[in-house]
Amino acid sequence: MTDRILGPGSTLGIVGGGQLGRMIALAAANYGLKSHVYAPDQDSPAFDVAARTTCAAYDDAEALAAFAQSVDAVTYEFENIPRATADILARHAPLHPNAEALSTTQDRLSEKDFINGLGIPTAPFRAVDTPDDLDRAIEALGLPAVLKTRRFGYDGKGQRILRARAEGDRNALFAEFGGAPLILEGFVPFEREVSVVAARGRDGSFAAFDLCENEHRDHILALTRVPAPGLTPETARAALDITKRIADALGYVGVLAVEMFLVRADGAESLVVNEIAPRVHNSGHWTIEGALTSQFAQHVRAVCGWPLGDPARVGGLSVEMRNLIGAQADDWRALLAEPGAHLHLYGKGEARPGRKMGHVTRLGGSAGA
Ligand code: AMP
């Protein structure tokens, strides 16, 4: 597929129809592009803002080929699409990020092997394919440890902390995960969780947003603060450097996020990579109002082969982004009435518990506040 530079009026294909796809499509529209969204669910929030939609399964080879042929480039907002799906798309249109980056990062085992291969630390880990493997992995890593499915995990789904050896019969534990391939990770005694959201262009250019600090509740991102307060400049630089090395090694084009644990031992800060998201990321939503270029605009720029935008924070202000989970979105009237609160709602019908319904961003304070 020739990877020509897209011009205004071109059509961007977006695989995945959630809020991330919706916000990519909105950013694309600002640049005079049309979006064609492919998703299996008729209720997809991104369908509401797209020029064209295809509602079909991720393994429908015919629909995927027709979709890819109808657009000028394809990207995705969802990393759990099968590798075979990415390969079909790439046969018919330029695909960014590339299929290899997708498959490396969608399996926690290949992802950690890849990161460690760059000399970047992760939690210690062992593959667990049988109950016997689990015993051996616990022996090697000790407890507590975190047992996770290797694929298809998000928002804490598909994982469980093991604190004591007596915790459940190992066969029952295995059954709980439905026989899926697993990974056991040593527990990282982190002080805080941080992330870097960054973009790599087709020409290898790189632009990172400032380091974010993330707070999770019930395994779901609740709050992002930027810049991550109280960290040394060396740590912030190291986090950006890790992200650049990962993006370069993947030959990555587009926005990615690298989630990291900040560990403090004997007063010294160090970073341990938790996971890579090969897509725009929830911890980058603050950039819509808080940065000179939003992560969504940046992603569109990278995928189209355009120059990357300036990722600096607007006016050097600190920024806070809160997710509106489930019924929290019912406060929309009060949030609209609050001066300086930027409300985003994703157009999802039912506010189920744990469902991300929207977010609110507040700019304030001065740099480093
Ligand atoms: P993940 O799905 O890998 O992003 O994990 C979800 C959350 O579980 C992380 O944001 C951490 O709060 C926690 N967690 C995951 N893995 C570990 C680990 N190896 N050690 C300590 N906490 C972890």
Side-chain angles (χ1 to χ4, degrees):
M1 271 300 107
T2 41
D3 205 1
R4 61 178 189 80
I5 292 172
L6 273 63
S10 302
T11 300
L12 180 63
I14 302 171
V15 180
Q19 64 269 18
L20 301 179
R22 178 181 172 104
M23 289 186 273
I24 294 170
L26 290 170
N30 276 333
Y31 288 129
L33 299 166
K34 298 186 194 330
S35 293
H36 183 168
V37 173
Y38 186 108
D41 189 348
Q42 197 59 63
D43 285 337
S44 297
F47 280 177
D48 293 346
V49 299
R52 280 188 69 184
T53 62
T54 296
C55 188
Y58 289 132
D59 61 359
D60 183 337
E62 221 170 287
L64 288 167
F67 162 74
Q69 282 162 6
S70 78
V71 301
D72 297 293
V74 178
T75 190
Y76 45 90
E77 60 110 52
F78 176 61
E79 71 270 39
N80 289 328
I81 56 174
R83 168 68 194 250
T85 299
D87 287 336
I88 294 170
L89 295 167
R91 272 201 289 282
H92 299 284
L95 175 72
H96 300 298
N98 65 67
E100 196 57 37
L102 175 76
S103 60
T104 302
T105 56
Q106 72 184 178
D107 182 309
R108 293 184 193 274
L109 193 62
S110 57
E111 180 179 57
K112 284 192 167 54
D113 280 335
F114 162 75
I115 296 166
N116 289 166
L118 297 175
I120 298 167
T122 62
F125 63 95
R126 291 285 186 286
V128 174
D129 292 318
T130 64
D132 281 346
D133 287 347
L134 183 56
D135 282 342
R136 281 191 287 269
I138 291 174
E139 200 61 48
L141 302 176
L143 292 173
V146 190
L147 188 61
K148 302 180 179 178
T149 52
R150 280 167 51 180
R151 299 163 68 89
F152 307 130
Y154 71 97
D155 287 350
K157 293 188 173 58
Q159 63 175 275
R160 172 154 169 194
I161 298 185
L162 308 183
R163 296 188 190 278
R165 198 172 262 285
E167 198 161 331
D169 168 66
R170 56 182 206 152
N171 291 314
L173 247 181
F174 225 75
E176 193 183 300
F177 284 91
L182 304 176
I183 185 171
L184 189 73
E185 296 180 12
F187 188 85
V188 179
F190 62 83
E191 181 185 281
R192 297 146 81 173
E193 296 189 75
V194 296
S195 61
V196 176
V197 179
R200 188 171 180 277
R202 282 200 215 157
D203 58 357
S205 52
F206 180 80
F209 297 103
D210 284 326
L211 185 64
C212 312
E213 175 174 11
N214 301 315
E215 280 179 24
H216 295 85
R217 246 156 261 149
D218 302 326
H219 295 286
I220 301 171
L221 182 68
L223 175 70
T224 295
R225 274 194 209 95
V226 196
L231 298 186
T232 64
E234 290 74 31
T235 301
R237 262 199 302 278
L240 266 48
D241 177 62
I242 285 172
T243 305
K244 180 171 189 312
R245 282 157 62 202
I246 288 172
D248 285 342
L250 289 170
Y252 198 89
V253 172
V255 165
L256 82 169
V258 181
E259 297 180 25
M260 305 177 202
F261 298 127
L262 180 90
V263 180
R264 191 176 301 278
D266 301 326
E269 292 172 356
S270 63
L271 295 164
V272 172
V273 171
N274 178 28
E275 61 181 350
I276 303 166
R279 52 171 170 77
V280 291
H281 193 255
N282 197 168
S283 69
H285 290 0
W286 64 270
T287 60
I288 297 175
E289 291 86 12
L292 294 175
T293 309
S294 81
Q295 65 163 344
F296 303 102
Q298 194 74 305
H299 186 69
V300 170
R301 282 167 171 257
V303 169
C304 290
W306 298 347
L308 298 181
D310 186 344
R313 274 176 290 118
V314 169
L317 293 173
S318 60
V319 189
E320 186 187 281
M321 187 285 309
R322 254 174 218 282
N323 271 338
L324 300 172
I325 314 280
Q328 289 173 348
D330 295 347
D331 294 339
W332 60 273
R333 277 191 197 79
L335 290 167
L336 283 173
E338 180 188 323
H342 300 276
L343 175 67
H344 295 258
L345 296 172
Y346 306 146
K348 295 183 182 177
E350 199 194 334
R352 289 194 295 272
R355 195 171 195 207
K356 291 173 179 169
M357 302 299 292
H359 71 267
V360 58
T361 301
R362 297 178 176 93
L363 276 59
S366 53

Coordinates of all heavy atoms in Angstrom, one line a residue, residues 167-242:
E167 N -4.7 -19.1 49.0 CA -5.8 -18.4 48.3 C -6.4 -19.3 47.1 O -5.8 -19.3 46.0 CB -5.3 -17.1 47.7 CG -6.5 -16.2 47.5 CD -6.0 -14.7 47.4 OE1 -5.1 -14.4 48.0 OE2 -6.7 -14.0 46.6
G168 N -7.4 -20.0 47.5 CA -8.1 -20.8 46.4 C -7.2 -22.0 45.9 O -6.0 -21.9 45.9
D169 N -7.9 -23.0 45.5 CA -7.3 -24.1 44.9 C -6.8 -23.7 43.5 O -7.5 -22.9 42.8 CB -8.4 -25.2 44.8 CG -8.0 -26.3 43.9 OD1 -7.0 -27.0 44.3 OD2 -8.6 -26.5 42.8
R170 N -5.6 -24.1 43.2 CA -5.0 -23.6 41.9 C -5.8 -24.0 40.7 O -5.8 -23.3 39.7 CB -3.5 -24.1 41.8 CG -3.4 -25.6 41.9 CD -2.1 -26.2 41.8 NE -2.2 -27.5 41.3 CZ -1.3 -28.2 40.6 NH1 -0.2 -27.6 40.4 NH2 -1.6 -29.4 40.2
N171 N -6.4 -25.2 40.8 CA -7.3 -25.6 39.6 C -8.5 -24.7 39.5 O -8.9 -24.4 38.4 CB -7.7 -27.1 39.8 CG -6.5 -28.0 39.6 OD1 -5.7 -27.8 38.7 ND2 -6.4 -28.9 40.5
A172 N -9.1 -24.4 40.7 CA -10.2 -23.5 40.7 C -9.9 -22.1 40.1 O -10.6 -21.5 39.3 CB -10.8 -23.4 42.1
L173 N -8.7 -21.6 40.6 CA -8.2 -20.4 40.1 C -8.0 -20.3 38.6 O -8.4 -19.4 37.9 CB -6.8 -20.1 40.7 CG -6.6 -19.0 41.7 CD1 -5.1 -19.0 42.1 CD2 -7.0 -17.7 41.1
F174 N -7.5 -21.5 38.1 CA -7.3 -21.6 36.7 C -8.6 -21.6 35.9 O -8.8 -20.9 34.9 CB -6.6 -22.9 36.4 CG -5.5 -22.8 35.4 CD1 -4.3 -22.2 35.8 CD2 -5.7 -23.2 34.1 CE1 -3.3 -22.0 34.9 CE2 -4.7 -23.0 33.2 CZ -3.5 -22.4 33.6
A175 N -9.6 -22.3 36.5 CA -10.9 -22.3 35.9 C -11.6 -21.0 35.9 O -12.3 -20.6 34.9 CB -11.8 -23.3 36.7
E176 N -11.3 -20.2 36.9 CA -11.9 -18.8 37.0 C -11.5 -18.0 35.8 O -12.3 -17.1 35.3 CB -11.3 -18.2 38.3 CG -11.9 -16.9 38.7 CD -11.2 -16.4 39.9 OE1 -11.1 -17.1 41.0 OE2 -10.7 -15.2 39.8
F177 N -10.3 -18.2 35.2 CA -9.9 -17.5 34.0 C -10.3 -18.2 32.7 O -9.8 -17.8 31.7 CB -8.4 -17.3 34.1 CG -7.9 -16.2 35.1 CD1 -7.6 -16.6 36.4 CD2 -7.8 -14.9 34.7 CE1 -7.2 -15.6 37.3 CE2 -7.4 -13.9 35.6 CZ -7.1 -14.3 36.9
G178 N -11.1 -19.2 32.8 CA -11.6 -19.9 31.6 C -10.6 -20.5 30.7 O -10.8 -20.7 29.5
G179 N -9.5 -20.9 31.3 CA -8.5 -21.7 30.5 C -7.7 -20.8 29.6 O -6.9 -21.3 28.7
A180 N -7.8 -19.5 29.7 CA -7.0 -18.5 28.8 C -5.6 -18.6 29.2 O -5.3 -18.8 30.4 CB -7.6 -17.1 29.0
P181 N -4.7 -18.3 28.3 CA -3.2 -18.2 28.6 C -3.1 -17.0 29.7 O -3.6 -16.0 29.5 CB -2.5 -17.9 27.3 CG -3.5 -18.2 26.3 CD -4.9 -18.1 26.9
L182 N -2.2 -17.3 30.7 CA -2.1 -16.3 31.8 C -0.7 -15.9 31.9 O 0.3 -16.5 31.4 CB -2.6 -16.9 33.1 CG -4.0 -17.5 33.1 CD1 -4.3 -18.1 34.5 CD2 -5.0 -16.4 32.9
I183 N -0.5 -14.9 32.8 CA 0.9 -14.4 33.1 C 0.8 -14.1 34.6 O -0.2 -13.6 35.1 CB 1.3 -13.2 32.3 CG1 2.7 -12.8 32.6 CG2 0.4 -12.0 32.5 CD1 3.2 -11.7 31.6
L184 N 1.8 -14.5 35.4 CA 1.9 -14.1 36.7 C 3.0 -13.0 36.8 O 4.1 -13.2 36.3 CB 2.3 -15.2 37.7 CG 2.2 -14.9 39.2 CD1 0.7 -14.8 39.6 CD2 2.9 -15.9 40.0
E185 N 2.6 -11.9 37.4 CA 3.6 -10.8 37.6 C 3.9 -10.6 39.1 O 3.0 -10.6 39.9 CB 3.0 -9.4 37.1 CG 2.7 -9.4 35.6 CD 2.1 -8.1 35.2 OE1 2.1 -7.1 36.0 OE2 1.5 -8.0 34.1
G186 N 5.2 -10.4 39.4 CA 5.5 -10.0 40.7 C 4.8 -8.7 41.1 O 4.6 -7.8 40.2
F187 N 4.4 -8.5 42.3 CA 3.7 -7.3 42.7 C 4.8 -6.2 42.8 O 5.8 -6.3 43.5 CB 3.0 -7.5 44.1 CG 2.1 -6.4 44.5 CD1 0.8 -6.3 44.0 CD2 2.6 -5.4 45.3 CE1 0.0 -5.3 44.3 CE2 1.8 -4.3 45.6 CZ 0.5 -4.2 45.1
V188 N 4.5 -5.1 42.2 CA 5.4 -3.9 42.2 C 4.9 -3.0 43.3 O 3.8 -2.5 43.3 CB 5.4 -3.1 40.9 CG1 6.3 -1.9 41.0 CG2 5.8 -4.1 39.8
P189 N 5.7 -2.7 44.4 CA 5.3 -1.9 45.5 C 5.4 -0.4 45.1 O 6.2 0.3 45.6 CB 6.3 -2.3 46.6 CG 7.5 -2.7 45.9 CD 7.1 -3.2 44.6
F190 N 4.5 0.0 44.2 CA 4.7 1.3 43.6 C 4.1 2.4 44.6 O 3.3 2.2 45.4 CB 4.0 1.4 42.3 CG 2.5 1.2 42.3 CD1 1.6 2.2 42.6 CD2 2.0 0.0 42.0 CE1 0.3 2.0 42.5 CE2 0.6 -0.3 42.0 CZ -0.2 0.8 42.3
E191 N 4.7 3.6 44.4 CA 4.3 4.8 45.2 C 3.1 5.5 44.4 O 2.2 5.9 45.0 CB 5.4 5.7 45.4 CG 5.1 7.0 46.2 CD 6.3 7.9 46.3 OE1 7.2 7.7 47.1 OE2 6.3 8.9 45.5
R192 N 3.3 5.6 43.1 CA 2.3 6.2 42.3 C 2.3 5.6 40.9 O 3.3 4.9 40.5 CB 2.7 7.7 42.1 CG 2.7 8.4 43.4 CD 3.7 9.5 43.5 NE 3.2 10.7 42.8 CZ 3.9 11.8 42.8 NH1 5.0 11.9 43.5 NH2 3.4 12.9 42.2
E193 N 1.3 5.8 40.1 CA 1.2 5.4 38.8 C 1.2 6.6 37.8 O 0.6 7.6 38.1 CB -0.1 4.6 38.5 CG -0.1 3.3 39.3 CD -1.3 2.4 38.9 OE1 -1.2 1.8 37.9 OE2 -2.3 2.4 39.7
V194 N 2.1 6.5 36.8 CA 2.2 7.6 35.9 C 2.1 7.1 34.5 O 2.2 5.9 34.2 CB 3.6 8.3 36.1 CG1 3.7 9.0 37.5 CG2 4.8 7.4 35.9
S195 N 1.9 8.0 33.5 CA 1.9 7.6 32.1 C 2.5 8.7 31.2 O 2.4 9.9 31.6 CB 0.5 7.3 31.7 OG -0.3 8.4 31.8
V196 N 3.0 8.2 30.1 CA 3.4 9.2 29.1 C 2.6 8.9 27.9 O 2.4 7.8 27.4 CB 4.9 9.0 28.7 CG1 5.3 9.9 27.6 CG2 5.8 9.3 29.9
V197 N 2.0 10.0 27.4 CA 1.2 9.9 26.1 C 2.1 10.7 25.1 O 2.5 11.8 25.4 CB -0.1 10.6 26.2 CG1 -0.9 10.5 24.9 CG2 -1.0 9.9 27.3
A198 N 2.4 10.0 24.0 CA 3.3 10.7 23.0 C 3.0 10.2 21.6 O 2.2 9.3 21.4 CB 4.8 10.2 23.3
A199 N 3.5 10.9 20.6 CA 3.3 10.6 19.2 C 4.6 10.4 18.5 O 5.6 11.1 18.8 CB 2.5 11.7 18.6
R200 N 4.6 9.5 17.5 CA 5.7 9.4 16.6 C 5.1 9.6 15.2 O 4.1 8.9 14.9 CB 6.4 8.0 16.8 CG 7.7 7.9 16.0 CD 8.4 6.6 16.4 NE 9.6 6.4 15.6 CZ 9.7 5.9 14.4 NH1 8.6 5.5 13.8 NH2 10.9 5.8 13.8
G201 N 5.8 10.4 14.4 CA 5.3 10.7 13.0 C 5.9 9.7 12.1 O 6.8 8.9 12.4
R202 N 5.4 9.7 10.8 CA 6.0 8.8 9.8 C 7.4 9.0 9.6 O 8.1 8.1 9.1 CB 5.2 9.0 8.5 CG 3.8 8.3 8.5 CD 3.4 8.2 7.1 NE 2.0 8.3 6.9 CZ 1.4 8.7 5.7 NH1 2.2 8.9 4.7 NH2 0.1 8.8 5.7
D203 N 7.9 10.2 9.8 CA 9.3 10.6 9.5 C 10.2 10.3 10.8 O 11.4 10.7 10.8 CB 9.5 12.0 9.1 CG 8.9 13.0 10.2 OD1 8.4 12.5 11.2 OD2 9.0 14.2 10.0
G204 N 9.6 9.7 11.8 CA 10.4 9.3 13.0 C 10.4 10.5 14.0 O 11.0 10.4 15.1
S205 N 9.7 11.6 13.7 CA 9.7 12.7 14.7 C 8.9 12.2 15.9 O 8.1 11.3 15.8 CB 9.0 13.9 14.0 OG 7.7 13.5 13.5
F206 N 9.2 12.9 17.0 CA 8.6 12.4 18.3 C 8.2 13.6 19.1 O 8.9 14.6 19.2 CB 9.7 11.6 19.1 CG 9.2 11.1 20.4 CD1 8.4 9.9 20.5 CD2 9.5 11.7 21.6 CE1 8.0 9.4 21.7 CE2 9.1 11.2 22.8 CZ 8.3 10.1 22.8
A207 N 7.0 13.5 19.7 CA 6.5 14.6 20.5 C 5.7 14.0 21.7 O 4.8 13.3 21.5 CB 5.6 15.6 19.7
A208 N 6.2 14.3 22.9 CA 5.5 13.8 24.1 C 4.8 14.8 24.9 O 5.3 16.0 25.0 CB 6.6 13.1 25.0
F209 N 3.6 14.5 25.4 CA 3.0 15.4 26.4 C 3.7 15.2 27.7 O 4.4 14.2 27.9 CB 1.5 15.0 26.5 CG 0.7 15.2 25.2 CD1 0.4 14.1 24.4 CD2 0.4 16.5 24.8 CE1 -0.2 14.3 23.2 CE2 -0.3 16.7 23.5 CZ -0.6 15.6 22.7
D210 N 3.4 16.1 28.6 CA 4.0 16.0 29.9 C 3.6 14.8 30.7 O 2.5 14.3 30.5 CB 3.7 17.3 30.8 CG 4.5 18.5 30.3 OD1 5.7 18.3 29.9 OD2 4.0 19.6 30.3
L211 N 4.5 14.4 31.6 CA 4.2 13.2 32.4 C 2.9 13.3 33.2 O 2.7 14.4 33.9 CB 5.4 12.9 33.3 CG 5.4 11.6 34.1 CD1 5.4 10.4 33.2 CD2 6.6 11.6 35.1
C212 N 2.0 12.3 33.2 CA 0.8 12.4 33.9 C 0.9 11.5 35.1 O 1.5 10.5 35.1 CB -0.4 11.8 33.1 SG -0.5 12.4 31.4
E213 N 0.2 11.9 36.2 CA 0.0 11.0 37.3 C -1.5 10.5 37.3 O -2.4 11.3 37.1 CB 0.2 11.7 38.6 CG -0.1 10.8 39.8 CD 0.2 11.4 41.2 OE1 0.6 12.6 41.3 OE2 0.2 10.6 42.1
N214 N -1.7 9.2 37.5 CA -3.0 8.6 37.4 C -3.4 8.0 38.7 O -2.7 7.2 39.3 CB -3.0 7.6 36.2 CG -2.6 8.2 34.9 OD1 -3.1 9.3 34.6 ND2 -1.7 7.5 34.2
E215 N -4.7 8.2 39.0 CA -5.3 7.5 40.2 C -6.4 6.6 39.7 O -7.3 7.1 39.0 CB -5.8 8.6 41.2 CG -4.8 9.2 42.1 CD -5.4 10.2 43.0 OE1 -6.6 10.1 43.3 OE2 -4.7 11.1 43.4
H216 N -6.3 5.4 40.1 CA -7.4 4.4 39.7 C -8.3 4.2 40.9 O -7.8 4.2 42.1 CB -6.7 3.1 39.3 CG -5.9 3.2 38.1 ND1 -4.6 3.6 38.1 CD2 -6.2 3.0 36.8 CE1 -4.1 3.7 36.8 NE2 -5.1 3.3 36.0
R217 N -9.5 4.0 40.6 CA -10.5 3.4 41.6 C -11.2 2.2 41.1 O -11.6 2.3 39.9 CB -11.5 4.5 42.0 CG -11.3 4.9 43.5 CD -11.8 6.3 43.8 NE -10.7 7.3 43.8 CZ -10.8 8.6 43.5 NH1 -12.0 9.0 43.1 NH2 -9.8 9.4 43.5
D218 N -11.2 1.1 41.8 CA -11.7 -0.1 41.3 C -11.1 -0.5 40.0 O -11.8 -0.9 39.1 CB -13.3 0.0 41.2 CG -13.9 0.3 42.6 OD1 -13.4 -0.2 43.6 OD2 -14.9 1.0 42.6
H219 N -9.8 -0.3 39.8 CA -9.1 -0.6 38.6 C -9.4 0.3 37.4 O -9.0 0.0 36.3 CB -9.3 -2.1 38.2 CG -8.8 -3.1 39.2 ND1 -7.4 -3.3 39.3 CD2 -9.4 -3.8 40.1 CE1 -7.2 -4.2 40.3 NE2 -8.4 -4.5 40.8
I220 N -10.2 1.3 37.6 CA -10.6 2.1 36.5 C -10.0 3.5 36.7 O -10.0 4.0 37.9 CB -12.1 2.3 36.4 CG1 -12.8 0.9 36.2 CG2 -12.5 3.2 35.2 CD1 -14.3 0.9 36.3
L221 N -9.4 4.1 35.7 CA -8.8 5.4 35.9 C -9.9 6.4 36.4 O -11.0 6.5 35.8 CB -8.3 5.9 34.5 CG -7.6 7.3 34.6 CD1 -6.3 7.2 35.4 CD2 -7.3 7.8 33.2
A222 N -9.5 7.1 37.5 CA -10.5 8.1 38.0 C -10.0 9.5 37.7 O -10.8 10.3 37.4 CB -10.6 7.8 39.6
L223 N -8.7 9.7 37.9 CA -8.2 11.1 37.9 C -6.8 11.1 37.2 O -5.9 10.2 37.5 CB -8.1 11.5 39.3 CG -7.5 12.9 39.6 CD1 -8.4 14.0 39.1 CD2 -7.2 13.1 41.1
T224 N -6.6 12.1 36.4 CA -5.2 12.3 35.8 C -4.8 13.7 36.2 O -5.6 14.7 36.0 CB -5.2 12.1 34.3 OG1 -5.5 10.8 34.0 CG2 -3.9 12.5 33.7
R225 N -3.6 13.9 36.7 CA -3.0 15.2 37.0 C -1.8 15.4 36.2 O -0.9 14.6 36.1 CB -2.6 15.3 38.5 CG -3.7 15.6 39.4 CD -3.1 16.0 40.8 NE -4.1 15.7 41.8 CZ -4.1 14.5 42.4 NH1 -3.2 13.6 42.3 NH2 -5.1 14.3 43.3
V226 N -1.7 16.6 35.6 CA -0.5 17.0 34.8 C 0.0 18.4 35.1 O -0.9 19.2 35.2 CB -0.9 16.9 33.3 CG1 0.4 16.9 32.4 CG2 -1.8 15.8 32.9
P227 N 1.3 18.6 35.3 CA 2.3 17.6 35.3 C 2.3 16.8 36.6 O 1.8 17.3 37.6 CB 3.6 18.4 35.2 CG 3.2 19.7 35.9 CD 1.8 20.0 35.5
A228 N 2.7 15.5 36.5 CA 2.7 14.7 37.7 C 3.5 15.4 38.8 O 4.6 15.8 38.6 CB 3.4 13.4 37.3
P229 N 2.7 15.7 39.9 CA 3.4 16.6 40.8 C 4.5 16.0 41.6 O 4.4 14.8 41.9 CB 2.2 17.0 41.8 CG 1.1 16.1 41.4 CD 1.4 15.3 40.2
G230 N 5.5 16.8 41.9 CA 6.5 16.3 42.9 C 7.5 15.4 42.4 O 8.3 14.9 43.2
L231 N 7.6 15.1 41.1 CA 8.6 14.2 40.7 C 9.9 15.0 40.3 O 9.8 16.1 39.8 CB 8.2 13.4 39.5 CG 7.0 12.5 39.7 CD1 6.7 11.6 38.5 CD2 7.2 11.6 40.9
T232 N 11.0 14.3 40.3 CA 12.2 15.0 39.9 C 12.2 15.2 38.4 O 11.7 14.4 37.7 CB 13.5 14.2 40.3 OG1 13.5 13.0 39.6 CG2 13.6 13.9 41.8
P233 N 12.9 16.3 37.9 CA 13.0 16.4 36.4 C 13.6 15.2 35.8 O 13.3 14.9 34.7 CB 13.8 17.7 36.3 CG 13.8 18.4 37.6 CD 13.5 17.4 38.6
E234 N 14.6 14.6 36.5 CA 15.3 13.4 35.9 C 14.3 12.3 35.7 O 14.3 11.6 34.6 CB 16.4 12.9 36.9 CG 17.6 13.8 37.0 CD 17.3 15.0 37.9 OE1 16.4 15.0 38.8 OE2 17.9 16.1 37.6
T235 N 13.3 12.1 36.6 CA 12.3 11.0 36.4 C 11.4 11.3 35.3 O 11.1 10.4 34.4 CB 11.5 10.8 37.7 OG1 12.4 10.5 38.8 CG2 10.5 9.8 37.6
A236 N 11.0 12.6 35.2 CA 10.1 13.0 34.0 C 10.9 12.8 32.7 O 10.3 12.2 31.8 CB 9.7 14.4 34.2
R237 N 12.1 13.1 32.7 CA 12.9 12.9 31.4 C 13.1 11.5 31.1 O 13.0 11.0 30.0 CB 14.3 13.6 31.6 CG 14.4 15.0 30.9 CD 15.8 15.4 30.7 NE 16.6 15.4 31.9 CZ 16.6 16.4 32.8 NH1 15.9 17.5 32.6 NH2 17.4 16.4 33.8
A238 N 13.4 10.7 32.2 CA 13.6 9.2 32.0 C 12.3 8.6 31.4 O 12.3 7.7 30.5 CB 14.0 8.6 33.3
A239 N 11.1 9.0 31.9 CA 9.9 8.5 31.4 C 9.6 8.8 29.9 O 9.2 7.9 29.1 CB 8.7 9.0 32.2
L240 N 10.0 10.0 29.5 CA 9.8 10.4 28.1 C 10.8 9.6 27.2 O 10.5 9.1 26.1 CB 10.1 11.9 28.0 CG 8.8 12.7 28.0 CD1 7.9 12.4 29.1 CD2 9.2 14.2 27.9
D241 N 12.0 9.4 27.8 CA 13.1 8.7 27.0 C 12.7 7.2 26.8 O 12.8 6.6 25.7 CB 14.4 8.8 27.8 CG 15.5 8.0 27.1 OD1 15.8 8.4 26.0 OD2 16.0 7.0 27.7
I242 N 12.1 6.6 27.9 CA 11.6 5.2 27.8 C 10.6 5.1 26.6 O 10.6 4.2 25.8 CB 11.0 4.7 29.1 CG1 12.1 4.4 30.1 CG2 10.1 3.5 28.9 CD1 11.6 4.2 31.5

